[in-house]
Amino acid sequence: MEHSFLFQALVFLLAAVLCVPIAKKLGMGSVLGYLLAGILLGPYIFGFIGKEGEDILHAAEFGVVMLLFIIGLELNPKEFWGMRKSILGFGSIQVFGTTALLFLCFIYFFHWSIQMSLAISLSISLSSTAIILQTLKERGLSNSVAGQASFSILIFQDIMVIPILAILPLLAIPGVAPIASKQTSIIDGLPGYIQTLVVFGVIGLVYGITRYIVSPLLHLVVKVNLKEVFVAASLTIVIGVSYTMTLVGLSPALGAFLAGIVLASTEYRHSLEATIEPFKGLLLGLFFIAVGSTINFGIITAKPILIFSIVLAVMFVKGVVIFSIGKIFKMSFRNNILTAILLSQVGEFSFVLLNFSSTLYIIPKDLFELLMAVTAITMVITPILLVIYEIIENKAFKSTLGEPKQQADEIHSMHKVLIIGFGHFGSTIGRFLRANGISATILDHDPDRVGLLRKMGFNVYFGDGTDLDLLYAAGAEKAKYLIATIDPPEVNQEVISLVKKHFPHIEIIARAKNRYDAYDLLDMNVDSIYRETLYTAVHLAVDVLTKLGVRAYTAERKGYDFIKFDEDSIRKLAKSRHDKKQYILSAREQIELQEKLLSEDMHFNLTQNDSAWDSEPMNNNSK
Amino acid sequence: MNKKILILFAHPKFENSRIHKQLITAAKNHPDVYIRDLYQEYPNFNIDIKKEQELLLKYDIILWQHPVYWYSCPPLLKQWIDLVLTYGWAYGDGGNKLEGKLILNVVSTGGRKEAYSKDGGNKFSLNEFFLAFQQTATLCKMNYLPPFAIQGSHKLTESEIGIHSKNFQLLLTLLQNGLINSETSIPSQSLLNEFILTLKS
């Protein structure tokens, strides 16, 4: 079916706009929504997308590249280096273990040839970076144990794409396969060791260029102060790196990830992230839609048993391997299950690898189609499994603990306070309230912590506050105060806007990460804002003043004055911030704001005279 | 045997004070005197009651040293009185931990002595304003002495303040050696510094 470009764009966007909110409403996450949209648009239901689905898929794979760039940005080199053990440990066991088990499975149960089994098991041992990271982020699990483990494995998988691409041609049956024409890298003709050298050289080059050329260039670009130039520059970085990597036959995603890490330590980190984010989101959405649309229902209806037995075998093997890794590394049962579910699908790189194998004639065309269907189906199943997991998780809690413990005090047992997020910040609040006889209802997304807190008798729900049903379940309708303490400001703000919309009676008390976060919260009409950095920093400064010889009480009062002054000025500046054109906060703007702030500080009267009691006039009277 | 003196010093604006700076310096050079700087110790008014009570037990003579604000003490000293002098410990049933201790106010006032009289702007004497302190001490079975007051603080020159602080040192010595004690008969409406001067001459 041929359609004009505009019509296609309209259909895609409309499908996304309709399906994603519905999926989210049903608690399924956006990934499933996109996939369903793709299935609807695909040739088997409405037929808006025909064969071009695969082309779209290739174009949309760029969304994965951008996703990895952003992940790199969020991870600085130090953190990355700190993760090297888990990347190698988790990752290698996952890839090799899964490959080996699947290989045996294919040989014995499906009676495929050795070459074919090996090529397929290698290809589908990889999981979907796009689905997993998107899901982790959406559910606020990125920093949980399960999230970190999944992330390590995914990084290793992305690295493994390169050697697998190198191994596959060796599996081709000589004479049948044409010389690998798929590979267009410029170093193909060179001997192995030189190729290796070139590969490392390029990685070093990417590092060097990003570090010493791109960063200064960005500085220049920012000075031009044109938003679109910065957008262009951001895209240039991502596309440039990807292109360089494909030249030498490396995964563009890996290159983007590397560039992201290098740029993470520059001041443009947040602006880059904010600029790339919408592109990434759209392309990823497109990617998922494309995956949905390429599911060949013809094959599925023709060979349902074969396909679903492969799906089952693949997901089962993957799950079991992850679960065993978890056991080896002594992860908790809950985290283990969660990681196993998260990584159980076949990934988008598998599309690439399978396609490559197919062009090498290692796997026949019909089997390739079939495996594509398998891959897509596993991608659809993962988010569904996750939803089921969360339901069971919350049910299990209720049945094991029965009714939440009743406090003697009527008022307290009503749980008027909801705490969202129970990390370092939230837990301090919860402990303090509990020490004063107020038991709050807590929402947290770390399975380990939830388990522990339940044992301690806290009323805890698993999941984060972005889930409306969970908020209802936690008794948001009856709650009087909601304390939003989630670490990533975006998630925190998401919770707040959700609560504001559905439970307008609740007074929101919010943690703000920093000034900029506080500005956003003020824009959302949240009045009780607590900047996590302000009070501690002023407190420290007060102690320094005292150590320097200023009277403790005077320093204390100056501290409180300063906090009040700062809170007033943030409200003032929040308004003036909108005098400018709407624009994401660039590094340059941050500096401008800082400048305004500092000049505002000049009005802070350090020699305030507070000698309230003065009897001098009285003295004169009495004369 | 020397008696031990505890100075409970409360001045929210000590850095601007001329009189108390000299008095504190004088007291610092005096052996067996412990100065407890309340505003430095508890800038956020969160008084450690147990610690304060334990300290009180170790001393025989207690001085409330402070500037006079609105005919009374600064708020932290009032907070100290409210929190530390607890029922069953300082007063009431079994509250006899402070029994027999000597206590007095050491103060500075902006107004001169004449202002604190029937015909002055303040209408009452300092002794009358401090009846609340006196009764507090009495309820805690302590012996309350008339205040040691440095008055007309705004008009005093440094050297005049110096004379006062010499006098203050003399007071500390007299108290330590038991030369001023609960039996000493001091006229009820007089100030302790005036009384010392009569002793001198």
Side-chain angles (χ1 to χ4, degrees):
Chain A
M1 226 180 274
E2 286 302 314
H3 295 293
S4 73
F5 168 73
L6 281 180
F7 179 74
Q8 268 197 354
L10 179 68
V11 166
F12 274 107
L13 291 173
L14 203 61
V17 168
L18 290 178
C19 289
V20 174
I22 293 174
K24 278 218 114 175
K25 197 108 199 165
L26 296 173
M28 298 192 295
S30 65
V31 174
L32 202 51
Y34 282 121
L35 288 171
L36 289 179
I39 293 174
L40 283 179
L41 295 181
Y44 295 92
I45 299 192
F46 291 130
F48 288 118
I49 315 173
K51 264 287 151 212
E52 68 270 25
E54 274 175 47
D55 300 329
I56 297 168
L57 192 61
H58 287 308
E61 266 164 21
F62 204 66
V64 182
V65 173
M66 288 179 163
L67 177 66
L68 272 151
F69 179 66
I70 288 180
I71 292 161
L73 276 179
E74 285 171 359
L75 198 78
N76 59 45
K78 236 194 207 151
E79 280 172 43
F80 182 56
W81 187 242
M83 288 175 67
R84 67 194 185 282
K85 271 188 196 147
S86 61
I87 291 175
L88 274 179
F90 290 147
S92 59
I93 302 178
Q94 192 273 333
V95 171
F96 298 123
T98 311
T99 306
L101 278 180
L102 281 174
F103 176 70
L104 294 175
C105 184
F106 291 148
I107 297 259
Y108 286 104
F109 297 113
F110 296 92
H111 307 295
W112 293 342
S113 76
I114 291 179
Q115 283 96 337
M116 201 164 90
S117 299
L118 186 58
I120 295 173
S121 46
L122 269 176
S123 305
I124 61 183
S125 68
L126 308 180
S127 309
S128 171
T129 311
I131 290 184
I132 297 166
L133 292 183
Q134 186 78 5
T135 312
L136 284 177
K137 210 165 183 186
E138 236 165 61
R139 298 184 184 246
L141 290 171
S142 300
N143 288 320
S144 67
V145 181
Q148 291 287 324
S150 311
F151 184 68
S152 306
I153 294 174
L154 288 172
I155 296 285
F156 186 80
Q157 289 181 351
D158 285 337
I159 299 170
M160 279 310 288
V161 171
I162 310 147
I164 294 178
L165 274 174
I167 291 168
L168 285 177
L170 304 176
L171 294 173
I173 302 152
V176 179
I179 295 302
S181 55
K182 164 93 178 148
Q183 277 293 62
T184 48
S185 99
I186 49 168
I187 57 169
D188 268 349
L190 304 171
Y193 69 97
I194 295 186
Q195 282 194 23
T196 318
L197 276 181
V198 170
V199 166
F200 280 105
V202 168
I203 291 177
L205 207 65
V206 167
Y207 177 84
I209 289 180
T210 344
R211 178 98 202 228
Y212 298 106
I213 300 181
V214 174
S215 300
L217 274 180
L218 275 178
H219 191 72
L220 280 180
V221 168
V222 167
K223 280 209 159 160
V224 178
N225 208 8
L226 277 174
K227 192 189 170 190
E228 58 274 19
V229 180
F230 190 77
V231 174
S234 310
L235 288 173
T236 310
I237 294 170
V238 181
I239 296 173
V241 172
S242 308
Y243 180 69
T244 322
M245 292 309 245
T246 45
L247 272 187
V248 292
L250 285 178
S251 144
L254 194 65
F257 177 63
L258 194 68
I261 288 183
V262 178
L263 289 171
S265 48
T266 67
E267 63 270 40
Y268 310 110
R269 175 182 184 174
H270 296 294
S271 340
L272 280 172
E273 209 176 317
T275 312
I276 296 290
E277 184 76 38
F279 290 98
K280 179 218 81 178
L282 271 179
L283 279 174
L284 265 190
L286 191 60
F287 172 77
F288 293 130
I289 291 178
V291 169
S293 77
T294 49
I295 297 181
N296 189 336
F297 285 93
I299 287 194
I300 296 176
T301 46
K303 299 175 182 170
I305 298 169
L306 178 63
I307 290 196
F308 279 98
S309 53
I310 299 179
V311 167
L312 216 65
V314 169
M315 296 191 84
F316 182 71
V317 167
K318 286 193 152 208
V320 166
V321 171
I322 301 282
F323 195 79
S324 324
I325 297 176
K327 273 265 173 285
I328 297 171
F329 288 92
K330 300 201 172 63
M331 251 159 61
S332 75
F333 182 75
R334 281 202 180 85
N335 269 318
N336 224 335
I337 290 277
L338 191 59
T339 320
I341 292 175
L342 274 172
L343 289 160
S344 63
Q345 78 296 102
V346 180
E348 57 277 351
F349 284 117
S350 308
F351 283 123
V352 181
L353 295 174
L354 288 171
N355 195 17
F356 186 41
S357 305
S358 150
T359 56
L360 289 169
Y361 297 105
I362 305 173
I363 47 177
K365 191 78 190 157
D366 56 334
L367 186 58
F368 167 67
E369 288 257 313
L370 195 143
L371 287 171
M372 293 293 275
V374 167
T375 305
I377 291 173
T378 58
M379 283 183 174
V380 178
I381 292 178
T382 314
I384 299 176
L385 280 181
L386 212 62
V387 173
I388 297 172
Y389 167 78
E390 284 193 354
I391 292 171
I392 294 174
E393 168 76 35
N394 276 319
K395 279 257 166 63
F397 157 51
K398 273 181 195 145
S399 59
T400 51
L401 254 162
E403 283 298 299
K405 269 193 203 159
Q406 286 293 316
Q407 288 268 328
D409 198 337
E410 260 298 296
I411 302 164
H412 294 163
S413 66
M414 282 169 70
H415 291 253
K416 285 183 168 179
V417 182
L418 261 177
I419 302 178
I420 314 288
F422 214 63
H424 295 298
F425 198 93
S427 63
T428 310
I429 299 167
R431 279 175 44 223
F432 179 74
L433 292 179
R434 195 165 129 116
N436 288 285
I438 308 289
S439 47
T441 302
I442 296 154
L443 266 69
D444 197 78
H445 56 63
D446 183 329
D448 273 347
R449 205 150 54 203
V450 170
L452 175 77
L453 289 171
R454 280 175 190 168
K455 257 188 241 155
M456 305 285 296
F458 279 96
N459 188 25
V460 196
Y461 287 81
F462 175 73
D464 66 23
T466 53
D467 183 347
L468 190 59
D469 293 336
L470 195 63
L471 285 171
Y472 273 110
E477 275 169 301
K478 277 181 249 151
K480 202 155 178 232
Y481 301 102
L482 180 130
I483 307 175
T485 76
I486 300 173
D487 189 28
E490 315 84 61
V491 184
N492 216 21
Q493 286 170 20
E494 198 183 330
V495 174
I496 290 168
S497 53
L498 192 72
V499 171
K500 272 201 165 280
K501 194 168 157 224
H502 294 275
F503 311 100
H505 68 280
I506 297 187
E507 186 178 334
I508 292 167
I509 300 158
R511 162 200 193 177
K513 200 98 183 110
N514 49 42
R515 296 191 74 83
Y516 308 113
D517 189 18
Y519 289 140
D520 289 341
L521 290 169
L522 280 171
D523 287 350
M524 294 168 72
N525 281 324
V526 178
D527 215 40
S528 308
I529 297 167
Y530 295 85
R531 268 178 290 152
E532 60 175 69
T533 42
L534 176 65
Y535 309 97
T536 325
V538 171
H539 218 92
L540 187 152
V542 164
D543 283 352
V544 172
L545 271 189
T546 312
K547 278 178 203 296
L548 285 172
V550 175
R551 297 273 301 167
Y553 180 64
T554 306
E556 183 91 359
R557 291 195 58 191
K558 293 289 176 205
Y560 283 120
D561 281 350
F562 190 82
I563 286 172
K564 187 179 178 305
F565 168 82
D566 198 64
E567 280 173 341
D568 289 346
S569 84
I570 204 168
R571 283 177 159 75
K572 220 159 109 189
L573 289 180
K575 277 180 208 128
S576 77
R577 189 171 74 126
H578 293 299
D579 300 345
K580 299 190 131 215
K581 268 177 274 160
Q582 193 70 32
Y583 178 35
I584 26 143
L585 225 49
S586 69
R588 187 190 160 87
E589 266 201 313
Q590 293 193 7
I591 288 167
E592 271 173 30
L593 269 174
Q594 188 81 31
E595 218 175 275
K596 263 195 201 166
L597 189 67
L598 290 176
S599 54
E600 190 74 18
D601 281 356
M602 307 293 265
H603 303 303
F604 181 63
N605 188 1
L606 282 163
T607 53
Q608 223 171 44
N609 182 12
D610 60 356
S611 58
W613 169 264
D614 188 357
S615 50
E616 197 61 8
M618 190 75 86
N619 242 349
N620 298 336
N621 279 347
S622 65
K623 258 179 213 168
Chain B
M1 196 189 77
N2 270 358
K3 294 199 188 317
K4 293 169 81 182
I5 300 180
L6 171 65
I7 299 182
L8 293 167
F9 175 58
H11 199 318
K13 270 280 170 187
F14 183 45
E15 56 272 61
N16 293 3
S17 154
R18 290 156 63 230
I19 292 166
H20 289 279
K21 247 177 222 157
Q22 285 212 28
L23 292 188
I24 288 293
T25 316
K28 261 185 192 157
N29 295 326
H30 215 91
D32 279 328
V33 172
Y34 175 53
I35 304 161
R36 187 136 182 91
D37 188 345
L38 291 177
Y39 272 95
Q40 192 71 2
E41 210 69 48
Y42 304 114
N44 47 22
F45 279 50
N46 193 19
I47 291 173
D48 184 341
I49 297 166
K50 230 181 136 190
K51 195 169 171 189
E52 292 303 314
Q53 290 182 340
E54 279 165 11
L55 263 174
L56 283 174
L57 293 178
K58 288 190 208 158
Y59 293 89
D60 313 299
I61 299 160
I62 294 141
L63 268 52
W64 281 322
Q65 185 184 335
H66 59 89
V68 172
Y69 287 170
W70 283 108
Y71 314 114
S72 185
C73 61
L76 184 54
L77 183 56
K78 181 63 166 67
Q79 174 89 336
W80 182 96
I81 291 169
D82 292 350
L83 294 182
V84 179
L85 304 181
T86 50
Y87 181 85
W89 189 85
Y91 71 103
D93 255 0
N96 50 11
K97 294 282 194 292
L98 302 174
E99 197 169 344
K101 291 186 194 293
L102 217 55
I103 190 161
L104 68 134
N105 293 69
V106 174
V107 301
S108 61
T109 68
R112 287 171 302 148
K113 176 146 202 237
E114 301 81 71
Y116 285 88
S117 65
K118 217 181 199 169
D119 309 316
N122 295 323
K123 302 284 184 237
F124 299 96
S125 73
L126 209 54
N127 309 59
E128 284 166 323
F129 283 122
F130 282 5
L131 277 172
F133 291 110
Q134 183 177 344
Q135 179 54 21
T136 301
T138 308
L139 203 57
C140 295
K141 305 181 186 75
M142 290 190 279
N143 300 307
Y144 185 78
L145 297 180
F148 179 97
I150 299 169
Q151 299 192 285
S153 60
H154 303 287
K155 298 269 157 62
L156 291 177
T157 64
E158 288 297 316
S159 59
E160 280 170 326
I161 296 171
I163 296 168
H164 281 293
S165 72
K166 281 261 157 37
N167 239 342
F168 180 56
Q169 268 178 312
L170 181 60
L171 170 73
L172 293 175
T173 314
L174 290 170
L175 285 169
Q176 263 180 340
N177 296 318
L179 295 174
I180 294 179
N181 55 42
S182 49
E183 268 91 58
T184 316
S185 62
I186 306 162
S188 64
Q189 281 301 307
S190 70
L191 297 172
L192 202 53
N193 30 335
E194 291 164 351
F195 178 71
I196 290 170
L197 291 178
T198 62
L199 285 183
K200 253 182 164 178
S201 58

